[in-house]
Amino acid sequence: MNSPIKDLLDNNQIKIPKHIAIICDGNGRWAKKKGFPRAFGHKAGTKPIEDITKNCYELGVKTLTFYVFSTENWSRSDKEVTFLMKLFIEFFIKLRNEAGENIKVKHIGITENLSLELIDEIKKTENLTENNSGMVLNIALNYGSRSEIINATKNIMNSIGIGNLNIDEINEELISNYMFTAGVPDVDLIIRTSGEMRISNFLLWQSAKASLWFTEDYWPDFKYDHLKEAIKYYNEADSKFL
Ligand code: IPE
Ligand code: IPE
Ligand code: MG
């Protein structure tokens, strides 16, 4: 195998996180540094998403989540938002063509304010990949953790209201099952690029026990070596609690 991930796979001391969640940050600054418009950085940022997805799949990661657009990101300029939405349409089309038989693509977040065209491409991609069992790839787009918790709370209340659920049945597992991430393991490792050390309303419930790894590098420069460092950090952090 010539794959770059061979070193990690060959090391049987290394524990591969079941769920890695990545805050892909710094696209705009990456472009600015090169004297290009922000859009250029967003476009460049799709490449590491593809590459890291392949690496994680080969490593045996069960769930990989990318945060690509937050509910707060609507406050950006119309020009930038329009560009991003077009990019997401192309991105979902590409994903379903390249997901093969192994990657199940799922959108997490709300569809409110998304164009019908984008919603349609998301649905097509989800439908086409829904029976794939190798890895779940969550795309957090128009996602916000607090809005997810509000949504879950309303659905729980509704289930109680119609008599399908008893208050005594509410526990951690049940709440997890009312989240957009129902059915996937909790987050083990959160990665954020570009030197910002914030959570930005990302998977607050699911990452209660996650390790956090940060890099100064911008998202378009993210490579397998960064992933490897993050996984090593996760192993060190994890072993302290054994
Ligand atoms: C992350 O890069 C991508 C999105 C939030 C869509 P940014 O666009 O936040 O880039 P910076 O942080 O301004 O450099
Ligand atoms: C967080 O990045 C959201 C995504 C990467 C999609 P931002 O760049 O929007 O976050 P803040 O506003 O700096 O926290
Ligand atoms: Mg940013």
Side-chain angles (χ1 to χ4, degrees), residues 24-30 38 42 67-70 73 76 80 84 88 194 196 218-219:
C24 312
D25 199 12
N27 292 351
R29 278 165 286 163
W30 181 89
R38 293 177 62 81
H42 294 313
Y67 199 11
V68 299
F69 193 88
S70 70
N73 287 148
R76 297 197 176 189
E80 183 168 355
L84 280 166
F88 295 143
S194 86
E196 308 298 334
Y218 298 136
W219 176 248

Side-chain angles (χ1 to χ4, degrees), residues 154-171 174 177-178:
K154 285 184 181 166
N155 288 336
I156 290 171
M157 293 305 288
N158 190 42
S159 297
I160 292 172
I162 61 172
N164 280 351
L165 184 71
N166 201 302
I167 290 183
D168 301 334
E169 291 174 279
I170 299 177
N171 57 23
L174 180 120
N177 285 331
Y178 274 82

Side-chain angles (χ1 to χ4, degrees), residues 5 49 55 89 93 105 191 194:
I5 63 150
I49 293 186
N55 294 156
I89 290 174
I93 295 173
V105 182
I191 294 172
S194 86

Side-chain angles (χ1 to χ4, degrees), residues 180-207:
F180 298 134
T181 49
V184 306
D186 275 351
V187 177
D188 297 310
L189 172 63
I190 288 197
I191 294 172
R192 183 169 187 153
T193 54
S194 86
E196 308 298 334
M197 293 193 242
R198 288 192 293 283
I199 289 296
S200 300
N201 202 11
F202 187 43
L203 300 173
L204 300 178
W205 171 266
Q206 298 87 337
S207 61

Side-chain angles (χ1 to χ4, degrees), residues 3-11 14 224-225 228 232:
S3 163
I5 63 150
K6 190 174 163 10
D7 52 349
L8 269 193
L9 278 185
D10 282 351
N11 184 344
I14 291 274
Y224 169 68
D225 277 347
K228 196 161 93 176
K232 282 189 178 156

